[in-house]
Amino acid sequence: MEEEYEILESTVKDFNSKFVDNNSLKLENESMGPDFIRMLADQGFFSMMGQGSDASGSDLKALSIVLENLSKSAPAAAVKVLLVNAFSTLVNDTGILDSVGKGAKSGTVTFSDLLVPKGQNGSLKLENGRVKGEKEYVLGSDSDFILTLLDTGELILLKSGFSQGKKHKKLGFRSIGFSSINVDSSDYSVVAKDGIAALRKMYEDFTLPISAIAIGMSEGVSQKALDYAKVRTAFGHYLKDFQPLAFDLTSLIAEMNILKRYFHDLLSSPISRKEAMFLKHKSLILAKDMSKTSLQIHGGYGYLEDFGIEKFYRDSMALSVLFHREDSDMEELSSLVFEGKAGFV
Amino acid sequence: MDFELDSETKEAITKAREFAKKYFTEEAAERSDREERFPTEIVALSKKEKILDFSNPWKVLVTIEELVRRDPGLGISVTISAFGAEIFMFFGNDDQKEKYMNPVFAGLKTLGLGVTEPGGGSDVANIKTEAKLDGDSYILNGGKMFISNGQIADYFLVLARTSPPPSPEKKHRGMSVFVVDSKSPGFSVNKLHGKLGVRATNTAELIFNNVRVPKENMVGEEGKGFYYIMTFFNISRIYVAAQGLGIAHGALDRLVEYSKKYGEISDTGELKESIQLAIAEIATRVEATRNLTYKAASYLFKFTPNPIVTSMSKYYAAETAVFSTRRALELMSLHGLTNDLERFFRDAKILDIWEGTTEVEKLIITRMMLKEEGA
């Protein structure tokens, strides 16, 4: 890893130990609160992408390092950072970017426009200069600004005139608003005429950062399992002494380390779409497998939130639904592997 | 070999389905889950409508499956009020059956089983709770963990050590089972909060601080408690398998419904093959789980239990429930994440843990097989 990224990694680890590790349950389940949001902003985590006056230039790799390390303790905080930075890549209003970068305001993007076919996540229409309608499945619906698609395909920035509607169930990242939004607004601007293309570009660019969250979650939850297996006894042995447990966890950790090495290789070379998708595909599966095995190692205690394991079980699944398209991503990846359209029947 | 259920059992399925459809509303299920609230009113209605007919174990089995298929948290809450009662049935005396078992089966009282301890988990032989003879009573001290019905049960069947083990290899000896009234002085309960799933069920930690239990509350013979509990687990694991079957079938229901409404159609005019194959795989696992569970049940209900098949059914049902909910959720994307499937996904994982972890079940299978073969 390049030196600047090593320094960044160390910065996030310090941040975790000071502000996240002892607070991770609240950050997941309740609210991050304005103070914590400001701390994330003060670290520069909200201005790693986009063109705000304080931005040091877009750096997906740096963002990925931050997300990986935040996810070890608080996946919800990492997802918050991801949403804000995804927002910032698409907006070019310096004033808004500055306020979001400083944590004074917040912004999000409706990833759902890419995750389900058109019409399945509501409808926003332009009527006499006003945007009207309802959009479903908005992660970050408690934000001040929302980037979303009109039915006609333009990507618009909603600045006001919207409110949270029906609250959705929250499998993961419970401190982040997740609901529909009701919109009746004249306070908007068009960000891209071909909104789908703009969203797709952002989604592709964020393949590595999303993978980073999955890898960070695997690292965080596996460390908890390793620690627990060394001290907990059953049937006269430490849990680590039992073959099924030790072998299962070791096998997953081997996979994790291979992916991590691959991840760092990708960070230090030009990003290849196919390789980034390889990483995302495998790291999302790993996060789910690792959290399942780690929960199993903790037995009944893993099922209770106090041990900080069950949140990874929920979050890893939520991540793979909220930032991943099960079928169409595999169709795209298969087409890259076969070097021609594949996997569509 | 006849795979058909008799008409009485089929009627039980219909009755359970109608009950669940009427009372397991999404609002009720969501509220119990969100508030970690035991569904007292629904449980009372289930007793009033005699949803569980304990005179016929097949009816109990299919009722569990059907109710859990609609909602795991509510389904398990409704069907767990007699948890442990088989211990009275097989090992209790007439007075105990009359006083404790019959009111539970009649729906008038709720029972709990205190086996697992904070430091023990699956390691039942290593329990620390002690019962010391003092005149015509035993004095219980210790604690139990993850106890279903912990806060709501009227009585508990509690496993406690009554004499030291004869040797480190024979730690399973010297344990006995007692009926403990939840109103006993020195008995206290801490409700466990923040469970991943089955949040409608009531789970608690039990604390025994010099709890005096009359001698006549010992169930069966002194020193045979471990054997009684293991015998019970060979019964209860089949009902846990039915829970797994219900959860997996519930996930399949939701995936099939989704595929009809939202499933992507390919150029051939058919559903895309990845979802077709996933439905087939889950459906096959559900059917395999059902056959294994019913086979284990048929041995048990003829009083010839087969612990190997029982453990196979519990392990496979748990795995199927976890697999099916995960796969369905992956395929249903935001639709699954925002409907009750996400609750099924959280609920399913407990089946890998309670009543013997999946790893313990696998060890039982192999050890019993090798024992049968004289290895």
Side-chain angles (χ1 to χ4, degrees), chain A residues 110 112-113 120-125 132-138 141 146-151 154 156 158 163 165-166 168 179-183 199:
Chain A
T110 53
S112 61
D113 283 321
Q120 288 185 20
N121 67 331
S123 164
L124 289 182
K125 288 187 168 65
K132 290 187 176 182
E134 184 183 19
K135 185 70 63 111
E136 292 273 1
Y137 313 131
V138 181
S141 57
I146 296 180
L147 279 165
T148 191
L149 280 186
L150 288 178
D151 290 358
E154 289 105 327
I156 59 163
L158 288 170
S163 58
K166 182 181 63 190
H168 294 311
S179 70
S180 64
I181 51 166
N182 298 314
V183 183
L199 280 182

PDB file of all heavy atoms in Angstrom, chain A residues 110 112-113 120-125 132-138 141 146-151 154 156 158 163 165-166 168 179-183 199:
ATOM      1  N   THR A 110     -30.581   8.040  -4.775  1.00  0.00           N
ATOM      2  CA  THR A 110     -31.504   6.897  -4.772  1.00  0.00           C
ATOM      3  C   THR A 110     -30.913   5.745  -5.594  1.00  0.00           C
ATOM      4  O   THR A 110     -31.193   5.593  -6.777  1.00  0.00           O
ATOM      5  CB  THR A 110     -32.888   7.293  -5.317  1.00  0.00           C
ATOM      6  OG1 THR A 110     -32.719   7.910  -6.591  1.00  0.00           O
ATOM      7  CG2 THR A 110     -33.593   8.234  -4.370  1.00  0.00           C
ATOM      8  N   SER A 112     -31.858   2.956  -5.437  1.00  0.00           N
ATOM      9  CA  SER A 112     -32.970   2.070  -5.821  1.00  0.00           C
ATOM     10  C   SER A 112     -33.351   2.253  -7.285  1.00  0.00           C
ATOM     11  O   SER A 112     -33.911   1.340  -7.899  1.00  0.00           O
ATOM     12  CB  SER A 112     -34.180   2.327  -4.925  1.00  0.00           C
ATOM     13  OG  SER A 112     -34.629   3.653  -5.055  1.00  0.00           O
ATOM     14  N   ASP A 113     -33.026   3.427  -7.867  1.00  0.00           N
ATOM     15  CA  ASP A 113     -33.331   3.627  -9.276  1.00  0.00           C
ATOM     16  C   ASP A 113     -32.561   2.643 -10.161  1.00  0.00           C
ATOM     17  O   ASP A 113     -32.949   2.388 -11.302  1.00  0.00           O
ATOM     18  CB  ASP A 113     -32.983   5.064  -9.699  1.00  0.00           C
ATOM     19  CG  ASP A 113     -34.034   6.061  -9.225  1.00  0.00           C
ATOM     20  OD1 ASP A 113     -35.231   5.719  -9.264  1.00  0.00           O
ATOM     21  OD2 ASP A 113     -33.663   7.172  -8.798  1.00  0.00           O
ATOM     22  N   GLN A 120     -40.998   0.206 -10.315  1.00  0.00           N
ATOM     23  CA  GLN A 120     -41.132  -0.584  -9.087  1.00  0.00           C
ATOM     24  C   GLN A 120     -40.702   0.186  -7.843  1.00  0.00           C
ATOM     25  O   GLN A 120     -40.783  -0.341  -6.740  1.00  0.00           O
ATOM     26  CB  GLN A 120     -40.325  -1.886  -9.197  1.00  0.00           C
ATOM     27  CG  GLN A 120     -40.954  -2.883 -10.148  1.00  0.00           C
ATOM     28  CD  GLN A 120     -40.220  -4.204 -10.167  1.00  0.00           C
ATOM     29  OE1 GLN A 120     -39.484  -4.537  -9.244  1.00  0.00           O
ATOM     30  NE2 GLN A 120     -40.412  -4.966 -11.226  1.00  0.00           N
ATOM     31  N   ASN A 121     -40.188   1.381  -8.033  1.00  0.00           N
ATOM     32  CA  ASN A 121     -39.820   2.180  -6.855  1.00  0.00           C
ATOM     33  C   ASN A 121     -40.492   3.550  -6.881  1.00  0.00           C
ATOM     34  O   ASN A 121     -39.923   4.550  -6.469  1.00  0.00           O
ATOM     35  CB  ASN A 121     -38.295   2.315  -6.725  1.00  0.00           C
ATOM     36  CG  ASN A 121     -37.675   3.125  -7.838  1.00  0.00           C
ATOM     37  OD1 ASN A 121     -38.200   3.137  -8.944  1.00  0.00           O
ATOM     38  ND2 ASN A 121     -36.581   3.804  -7.550  1.00  0.00           N
ATOM     39  N   GLY A 122     -41.682   3.558  -7.380  1.00  0.00           N
ATOM     40  CA  GLY A 122     -42.456   4.796  -7.363  1.00  0.00           C
ATOM     41  C   GLY A 122     -42.295   5.596  -8.646  1.00  0.00           C
ATOM     42  O   GLY A 122     -41.766   5.112  -9.643  1.00  0.00           O
ATOM     43  N   SER A 123     -42.756   6.826  -8.573  1.00  0.00           N
ATOM     44  CA  SER A 123     -42.815   7.632  -9.784  1.00  0.00           C
ATOM     45  C   SER A 123     -42.707   9.115  -9.429  1.00  0.00           C
ATOM     46  O   SER A 123     -43.353   9.584  -8.490  1.00  0.00           O
ATOM     47  CB  SER A 123     -44.168   7.340 -10.468  1.00  0.00           C
ATOM     48  OG  SER A 123     -44.459   8.313 -11.430  1.00  0.00           O
ATOM     49  N   LEU A 124     -41.847   9.818 -10.166  1.00  0.00           N
ATOM     50  CA  LEU A 124     -41.746  11.268  -9.990  1.00  0.00           C
ATOM     51  C   LEU A 124     -41.965  11.938 -11.339  1.00  0.00           C
ATOM     52  O   LEU A 124     -41.247  11.648 -12.300  1.00  0.00           O
ATOM     53  CB  LEU A 124     -40.374  11.659  -9.438  1.00  0.00           C
ATOM     54  CG  LEU A 124     -40.048  11.311  -7.987  1.00  0.00           C
ATOM     55  CD1 LEU A 124     -38.661  11.818  -7.614  1.00  0.00           C
ATOM     56  CD2 LEU A 124     -41.097  11.877  -7.028  1.00  0.00           C
ATOM     57  N   LYS A 125     -42.933  12.817 -11.381  1.00  0.00           N
ATOM     58  CA  LYS A 125     -43.269  13.470 -12.651  1.00  0.00           C
ATOM     59  C   LYS A 125     -43.108  14.981 -12.507  1.00  0.00           C
ATOM     60  O   LYS A 125     -43.219  15.528 -11.401  1.00  0.00           O
ATOM     61  CB  LYS A 125     -44.722  13.177 -13.019  1.00  0.00           C
ATOM     62  CG  LYS A 125     -44.963  11.748 -13.467  1.00  0.00           C
ATOM     63  CD  LYS A 125     -46.407  11.609 -13.972  1.00  0.00           C
ATOM     64  CE  LYS A 125     -46.644  10.304 -14.702  1.00  0.00           C
ATOM     65  NZ  LYS A 125     -46.525   9.133 -13.858  1.00  0.00           N
ATOM     66  N   LYS A 132     -43.524  16.108  -8.697  1.00  0.00           N
ATOM     67  CA  LYS A 132     -44.543  15.535  -7.818  1.00  0.00           C
ATOM     68  C   LYS A 132     -44.497  14.013  -7.875  1.00  0.00           C
ATOM     69  O   LYS A 132     -44.215  13.430  -8.925  1.00  0.00           O
ATOM     70  CB  LYS A 132     -45.938  16.003  -8.232  1.00  0.00           C
ATOM     71  CG  LYS A 132     -46.204  17.464  -7.953  1.00  0.00           C
ATOM     72  CD  LYS A 132     -47.663  17.808  -8.226  1.00  0.00           C
ATOM     73  CE  LYS A 132     -47.937  19.248  -7.839  1.00  0.00           C
ATOM     74  NZ  LYS A 132     -49.341  19.611  -8.032  1.00  0.00           N
ATOM     75  N   GLY A 133     -44.808  13.408  -6.758  1.00  0.00           N
ATOM     76  CA  GLY A 133     -44.905  11.946  -6.729  1.00  0.00           C
ATOM     77  C   GLY A 133     -44.268  11.359  -5.480  1.00  0.00           C
ATOM     78  O   GLY A 133     -44.012  12.058  -4.492  1.00  0.00           O
ATOM     79  N   GLU A 134     -44.023  10.063  -5.558  1.00  0.00           N
ATOM     80  CA  GLU A 134     -43.452   9.337  -4.422  1.00  0.00           C
ATOM     81  C   GLU A 134     -42.346   8.428  -4.934  1.00  0.00           C
ATOM     82  O   GLU A 134     -42.482   7.807  -5.993  1.00  0.00           O
ATOM     83  CB  GLU A 134     -44.541   8.487  -3.741  1.00  0.00           C
ATOM     84  CG  GLU A 134     -44.062   7.757  -2.490  1.00  0.00           C
ATOM     85  CD  GLU A 134     -45.145   6.864  -1.883  1.00  0.00           C
ATOM     86  OE1 GLU A 134     -46.111   6.528  -2.597  1.00  0.00           O
ATOM     87  OE2 GLU A 134     -45.008   6.489  -0.708  1.00  0.00           O
ATOM     88  N   LYS A 135     -41.268   8.389  -4.195  1.00  0.00           N
ATOM     89  CA  LYS A 135     -40.171   7.475  -4.567  1.00  0.00           C
ATOM     90  C   LYS A 135     -39.946   6.515  -3.401  1.00  0.00           C
ATOM     91  O   LYS A 135     -39.821   6.935  -2.246  1.00  0.00           O
ATOM     92  CB  LYS A 135     -38.905   8.291  -4.880  1.00  0.00           C
ATOM     93  CG  LYS A 135     -37.721   7.510  -5.385  1.00  0.00           C
ATOM     94  CD  LYS A 135     -37.878   6.948  -6.790  1.00  0.00           C
ATOM     95  CE  LYS A 135     -38.026   7.909  -7.907  1.00  0.00           C
ATOM     96  NZ  LYS A 135     -36.915   7.997  -8.834  1.00  0.00           N
ATOM     97  N   GLU A 136     -39.904   5.224  -3.732  1.00  0.00           N
ATOM     98  CA  GLU A 136     -39.738   4.194  -2.690  1.00  0.00           C
ATOM     99  C   GLU A 136     -38.259   3.894  -2.438  1.00  0.00           C
ATOM    100  O   GLU A 136     -37.402   4.232  -3.255  1.00  0.00           O
ATOM    101  CB  GLU A 136     -40.394   2.887  -3.150  1.00  0.00           C
ATOM    102  CG  GLU A 136     -41.893   2.938  -3.250  1.00  0.00           C
ATOM    103  CD  GLU A 136     -42.580   2.620  -1.930  1.00  0.00           C
ATOM    104  OE1 GLU A 136     -41.882   2.380  -0.930  1.00  0.00           O
ATOM    105  OE2 GLU A 136     -43.819   2.622  -1.910  1.00  0.00           O
ATOM    106  N   TYR A 137     -38.021   3.236  -1.342  1.00  0.00           N
ATOM    107  CA  TYR A 137     -36.708   2.630  -1.029  1.00  0.00           C
ATOM    108  C   TYR A 137     -35.565   3.651  -1.049  1.00  0.00           C
ATOM    109  O   TYR A 137     -34.528   3.430  -1.685  1.00  0.00           O
ATOM    110  CB  TYR A 137     -36.358   1.521  -2.025  1.00  0.00           C
ATOM    111  CG  TYR A 137     -37.463   0.534  -2.309  1.00  0.00           C
ATOM    112  CD1 TYR A 137     -37.798   0.203  -3.624  1.00  0.00           C
ATOM    113  CD2 TYR A 137     -38.147  -0.103  -1.285  1.00  0.00           C
ATOM    114  CE1 TYR A 137     -38.792  -0.712  -3.917  1.00  0.00           C
ATOM    115  CE2 TYR A 137     -39.150  -1.028  -1.564  1.00  0.00           C
ATOM    116  CZ  TYR A 137     -39.470  -1.321  -2.885  1.00  0.00           C
ATOM    117  OH  TYR A 137     -40.452  -2.223  -3.172  1.00  0.00           O
ATOM    118  N   VAL A 138     -35.736   4.767  -0.375  1.00  0.00           N
ATOM    119  CA  VAL A 138     -34.684   5.785  -0.363  1.00  0.00           C
ATOM    120  C   VAL A 138     -33.838   5.615   0.903  1.00  0.00           C
ATOM    121  O   VAL A 138     -34.281   5.915   2.014  1.00  0.00           O
ATOM    122  CB  VAL A 138     -35.284   7.209  -0.423  1.00  0.00           C
ATOM    123  CG1 VAL A 138     -34.158   8.249  -0.447  1.00  0.00           C
ATOM    124  CG2 VAL A 138     -36.184   7.353  -1.649  1.00  0.00           C
ATOM    125  N   SER A 141     -33.082   8.788   3.452  1.00  0.00           N
ATOM    126  CA  SER A 141     -34.249   9.650   3.203  1.00  0.00           C
ATOM    127  C   SER A 141     -34.357  10.783   4.222  1.00  0.00           C
ATOM    128  O   SER A 141     -35.161  11.694   4.058  1.00  0.00           O
ATOM    129  CB  SER A 141     -35.532   8.821   3.222  1.00  0.00           C
ATOM    130  OG  SER A 141     -35.646   8.133   4.455  1.00  0.00           O
ATOM    131  N   ILE A 146     -31.541  15.290  -2.007  1.00  0.00           N
ATOM    132  CA  ILE A 146     -31.674  13.939  -2.567  1.00  0.00           C
ATOM    133  C   ILE A 146     -31.529  14.004  -4.085  1.00  0.00           C
ATOM    134  O   ILE A 146     -32.191  14.816  -4.753  1.00  0.00           O
ATOM    135  CB  ILE A 146     -33.031  13.302  -2.186  1.00  0.00           C
ATOM    136  CG1 ILE A 146     -33.106  13.101  -0.659  1.00  0.00           C
ATOM    137  CG2 ILE A 146     -33.227  11.962  -2.906  1.00  0.00           C
ATOM    138  CD1 ILE A 146     -34.395  12.477  -0.162  1.00  0.00           C
ATOM    139  N   LEU A 147     -30.667  13.150  -4.580  1.00  0.00           N
ATOM    140  CA  LEU A 147     -30.512  12.996  -6.026  1.00  0.00           C
ATOM    141  C   LEU A 147     -31.362  11.825  -6.466  1.00  0.00           C
ATOM    142  O   LEU A 147     -31.204  10.713  -5.936  1.00  0.00           O
ATOM    143  CB  LEU A 147     -29.050  12.702  -6.366  1.00  0.00           C
ATOM    144  CG  LEU A 147     -28.097  13.884  -6.423  1.00  0.00           C
ATOM    145  CD1 LEU A 147     -26.658  13.381  -6.403  1.00  0.00           C
ATOM    146  CD2 LEU A 147     -28.348  14.719  -7.678  1.00  0.00           C
ATOM    147  N   THR A 148     -32.237  12.067  -7.429  1.00  0.00           N
ATOM    148  CA  THR A 148     -33.124  10.975  -7.842  1.00  0.00           C
ATOM    149  C   THR A 148     -33.549  11.143  -9.288  1.00  0.00           C
ATOM    150  O   THR A 148     -33.338  12.201  -9.889  1.00  0.00           O
ATOM    151  CB  THR A 148     -34.354  10.920  -6.904  1.00  0.00           C
ATOM    152  OG1 THR A 148     -35.079   9.723  -7.151  1.00  0.00           O
ATOM    153  CG2 THR A 148     -35.274  12.115  -7.086  1.00  0.00           C
ATOM    154  N   LEU A 149     -34.118  10.090  -9.838  1.00  0.00           N
ATOM    155  CA  LEU A 149     -34.523  10.113 -11.245  1.00  0.00           C
ATOM    156  C   LEU A 149     -35.973  10.524 -11.397  1.00  0.00           C
ATOM    157  O   LEU A 149     -36.834  10.095 -10.626  1.00  0.00           O
ATOM    158  CB  LEU A 149     -34.383   8.712 -11.857  1.00  0.00           C
ATOM    159  CG  LEU A 149     -33.020   8.216 -12.292  1.00  0.00           C
ATOM    160  CD1 LEU A 149     -33.184   6.872 -12.989  1.00  0.00           C
ATOM    161  CD2 LEU A 149     -32.331   9.204 -13.223  1.00  0.00           C
ATOM    162  N   LEU A 150     -36.221  11.336 -12.402  1.00  0.00           N
ATOM    163  CA  LEU A 150     -37.594  11.571 -12.840  1.00  0.00           C
ATOM    164  C   LEU A 150     -38.011  10.412 -13.745  1.00  0.00           C
ATOM    165  O   LEU A 150     -37.163   9.710 -14.302  1.00  0.00           O
ATOM    166  CB  LEU A 150     -37.688  12.873 -13.638  1.00  0.00           C
ATOM    167  CG  LEU A 150     -37.548  14.195 -12.889  1.00  0.00           C
ATOM    168  CD1 LEU A 150     -37.636  15.357 -13.892  1.00  0.00           C
ATOM    169  CD2 LEU A 150     -38.639  14.338 -11.841  1.00  0.00           C
ATOM    170  N   ASP A 151     -39.303  10.232 -13.899  1.00  0.00           N
ATOM    171  CA  ASP A 151     -39.779   9.182 -14.812  1.00  0.00           C
ATOM    172  C   ASP A 151     -39.227   9.374 -16.228  1.00  0.00           C
ATOM    173  O   ASP A 151     -39.029   8.413 -16.972  1.00  0.00           O
ATOM    174  CB  ASP A 151     -41.320   9.191 -14.881  1.00  0.00           C
ATOM    175  CG  ASP A 151     -41.937   8.711 -13.580  1.00  0.00           C
ATOM    176  OD1 ASP A 151     -41.167   8.340 -12.670  1.00  0.00           O
ATOM    177  OD2 ASP A 151     -43.177   8.719 -13.475  1.00  0.00           O
ATOM    178  N   GLU A 154     -34.347  12.168 -16.373  1.00  0.00           N
ATOM    179  CA  GLU A 154     -33.380  13.152 -15.886  1.00  0.00           C
ATOM    180  C   GLU A 154     -33.045  12.885 -14.427  1.00  0.00           C
ATOM    181  O   GLU A 154     -33.925  12.493 -13.645  1.00  0.00           O
ATOM    182  CB  GLU A 154     -33.934  14.589 -15.988  1.00  0.00           C
ATOM    183  CG  GLU A 154     -34.049  15.118 -17.396  1.00  0.00           C
ATOM    184  CD  GLU A 154     -35.488  15.129 -17.851  1.00  0.00           C
ATOM    185  OE1 GLU A 154     -36.243  14.231 -17.426  1.00  0.00           O
ATOM    186  OE2 GLU A 154     -35.848  16.019 -18.645  1.00  0.00           O
ATOM    187  N   ILE A 156     -32.289  14.542 -11.051  1.00  0.00           N
ATOM    188  CA  ILE A 156     -32.523  15.860 -10.460  1.00  0.00           C
ATOM    189  C   ILE A 156     -32.013  15.912  -9.030  1.00  0.00           C
ATOM    190  O   ILE A 156     -31.916  14.879  -8.339  1.00  0.00           O
ATOM    191  CB  ILE A 156     -34.014  16.262 -10.480  1.00  0.00           C
ATOM    192  CG1 ILE A 156     -34.865  15.229  -9.718  1.00  0.00           C
ATOM    193  CG2 ILE A 156     -34.511  16.436 -11.900  1.00  0.00           C
ATOM    194  CD1 ILE A 156     -36.241  15.748  -9.358  1.00  0.00           C
ATOM    195  N   LEU A 158     -33.055  17.329  -5.571  1.00  0.00           N
ATOM    196  CA  LEU A 158     -34.146  17.913  -4.774  1.00  0.00           C
ATOM    197  C   LEU A 158     -33.531  18.644  -3.596  1.00  0.00           C
ATOM    198  O   LEU A 158     -32.767  18.055  -2.804  1.00  0.00           O
ATOM    199  CB  LEU A 158     -35.074  16.800  -4.254  1.00  0.00           C
ATOM    200  CG  LEU A 158     -35.971  16.109  -5.281  1.00  0.00           C
ATOM    201  CD1 LEU A 158     -36.628  14.874  -4.653  1.00  0.00           C
ATOM    202  CD2 LEU A 158     -37.045  17.070  -5.792  1.00  0.00           C
ATOM    203  N   SER A 163     -40.553  15.053   1.809  1.00  0.00           N
ATOM    204  CA  SER A 163     -40.596  14.586   3.206  1.00  0.00           C
ATOM    205  C   SER A 163     -40.572  13.064   3.226  1.00  0.00           C
ATOM    206  O   SER A 163     -40.906  12.418   2.216  1.00  0.00           O
ATOM    207  CB  SER A 163     -41.862  15.099   3.893  1.00  0.00           C
ATOM    208  OG  SER A 163     -42.997  14.638   3.170  1.00  0.00           O
ATOM    209  N   GLY A 165     -41.807   9.512   3.752  1.00  0.00           N
ATOM    210  CA  GLY A 165     -43.124   8.878   3.729  1.00  0.00           C
ATOM    211  C   GLY A 165     -43.119   7.608   4.547  1.00  0.00           C
ATOM    212  O   GLY A 165     -42.657   7.601   5.686  1.00  0.00           O
ATOM    213  N   LYS A 166     -43.601   6.547   3.937  1.00  0.00           N
ATOM    214  CA  LYS A 166     -43.724   5.271   4.635  1.00  0.00           C
ATOM    215  C   LYS A 166     -42.334   4.744   5.027  1.00  0.00           C
ATOM    216  O   LYS A 166     -41.456   4.615   4.176  1.00  0.00           O
ATOM    217  CB  LYS A 166     -44.415   4.268   3.696  1.00  0.00           C
ATOM    218  CG  LYS A 166     -44.667   2.912   4.293  1.00  0.00           C
ATOM    219  CD  LYS A 166     -45.331   1.996   3.266  1.00  0.00           C
ATOM    220  CE  LYS A 166     -44.448   1.738   2.078  1.00  0.00           C
ATOM    221  NZ  LYS A 166     -45.046   1.078   0.952  1.00  0.00           N
ATOM    222  N   HIS A 168     -39.592   2.156   5.861  1.00  0.00           N
ATOM    223  CA  HIS A 168     -39.365   0.755   5.503  1.00  0.00           C
ATOM    224  C   HIS A 168     -38.733   0.018   6.676  1.00  0.00           C
ATOM    225  O   HIS A 168     -38.105   0.629   7.548  1.00  0.00           O
ATOM    226  CB  HIS A 168     -38.433   0.658   4.293  1.00  0.00           C
ATOM    227  CG  HIS A 168     -39.027   1.213   3.036  1.00  0.00           C
ATOM    228  ND1 HIS A 168     -40.292   0.873   2.595  1.00  0.00           N
ATOM    229  CD2 HIS A 168     -38.534   2.077   2.120  1.00  0.00           C
ATOM    230  CE1 HIS A 168     -40.547   1.510   1.469  1.00  0.00           C
ATOM    231  NE2 HIS A 168     -39.503   2.253   1.154  1.00  0.00           N
ATOM    232  N   SER A 179     -36.844   5.035   3.852  1.00  0.00           N
ATOM    233  CA  SER A 179     -38.293   5.180   3.680  1.00  0.00           C
ATOM    234  C   SER A 179     -38.586   5.601   2.245  1.00  0.00           C
ATOM    235  O   SER A 179     -37.671   5.809   1.449  1.00  0.00           O
ATOM    236  CB  SER A 179     -38.821   6.254   4.645  1.00  0.00           C
ATOM    237  OG  SER A 179     -38.370   7.528   4.232  1.00  0.00           O
ATOM    238  N   SER A 180     -39.855   5.746   1.972  1.00  0.00           N
ATOM    239  CA  SER A 180     -40.213   6.406   0.718  1.00  0.00           C
ATOM    240  C   SER A 180     -40.105   7.919   0.958  1.00  0.00           C
ATOM    241  O   SER A 180     -39.981   8.359   2.110  1.00  0.00           O
ATOM    242  CB  SER A 180     -41.644   6.029   0.318  1.00  0.00           C
ATOM    243  OG  SER A 180     -42.543   6.513   1.286  1.00  0.00           O
ATOM    244  N   ILE A 181     -40.129   8.686  -0.126  1.00  0.00           N
ATOM    245  CA  ILE A 181     -40.222  10.142   0.039  1.00  0.00           C
ATOM    246  C   ILE A 181     -41.421  10.642  -0.760  1.00  0.00           C
ATOM    247  O   ILE A 181     -41.708  10.148  -1.848  1.00  0.00           O
ATOM    248  CB  ILE A 181     -38.940  10.892  -0.406  1.00  0.00           C
ATOM    249  CG1 ILE A 181     -38.493  10.472  -1.813  1.00  0.00           C
ATOM    250  CG2 ILE A 181     -37.822  10.706   0.593  1.00  0.00           C
ATOM    251  CD1 ILE A 181     -37.454  11.405  -2.422  1.00  0.00           C
ATOM    252  N   ASN A 182     -42.117  11.577  -0.152  1.00  0.00           N
ATOM    253  CA  ASN A 182     -43.212  12.255  -0.861  1.00  0.00           C
ATOM    254  C   ASN A 182     -42.679  13.581  -1.365  1.00  0.00           C
ATOM    255  O   ASN A 182     -42.081  14.351  -0.593  1.00  0.00           O
ATOM    256  CB  ASN A 182     -44.385  12.490   0.088  1.00  0.00           C
ATOM    257  CG  ASN A 182     -44.943  11.188   0.610  1.00  0.00           C
ATOM    258  OD1 ASN A 182     -45.154  10.245  -0.152  1.00  0.00           O
ATOM    259  ND2 ASN A 182     -45.157  11.103   1.917  1.00  0.00           N
ATOM    260  N   VAL A 183     -42.900  13.840  -2.632  1.00  0.00           N
ATOM    261  CA  VAL A 183     -42.289  15.031  -3.243  1.00  0.00           C
ATOM    262  C   VAL A 183     -43.359  15.938  -3.859  1.00  0.00           C
ATOM    263  O   VAL A 183     -44.252  15.481  -4.582  1.00  0.00           O
ATOM    264  CB  VAL A 183     -41.278  14.615  -4.344  1.00  0.00           C
ATOM    265  CG1 VAL A 183     -40.588  15.855  -4.932  1.00  0.00           C
ATOM    266  CG2 VAL A 183     -40.256  13.633  -3.815  1.00  0.00           C
ATOM    267  N   LEU A 199     -26.117   7.814 -13.146  1.00  0.00           N
ATOM    268  CA  LEU A 199     -26.188   6.923 -11.971  1.00  0.00           C
ATOM    269  C   LEU A 199     -25.351   5.671 -12.192  1.00  0.00           C
ATOM    270  O   LEU A 199     -24.670   5.197 -11.286  1.00  0.00           O
ATOM    271  CB  LEU A 199     -27.643   6.527 -11.696  1.00  0.00           C
ATOM    272  CG  LEU A 199     -28.529   7.531 -10.967  1.00  0.00           C
ATOM    273  CD1 LEU A 199     -29.915   6.939 -10.741  1.00  0.00           C
ATOM    274  CD2 LEU A 199     -27.930   7.938  -9.627  1.00  0.00           C
TER     275      LEU A 199
END
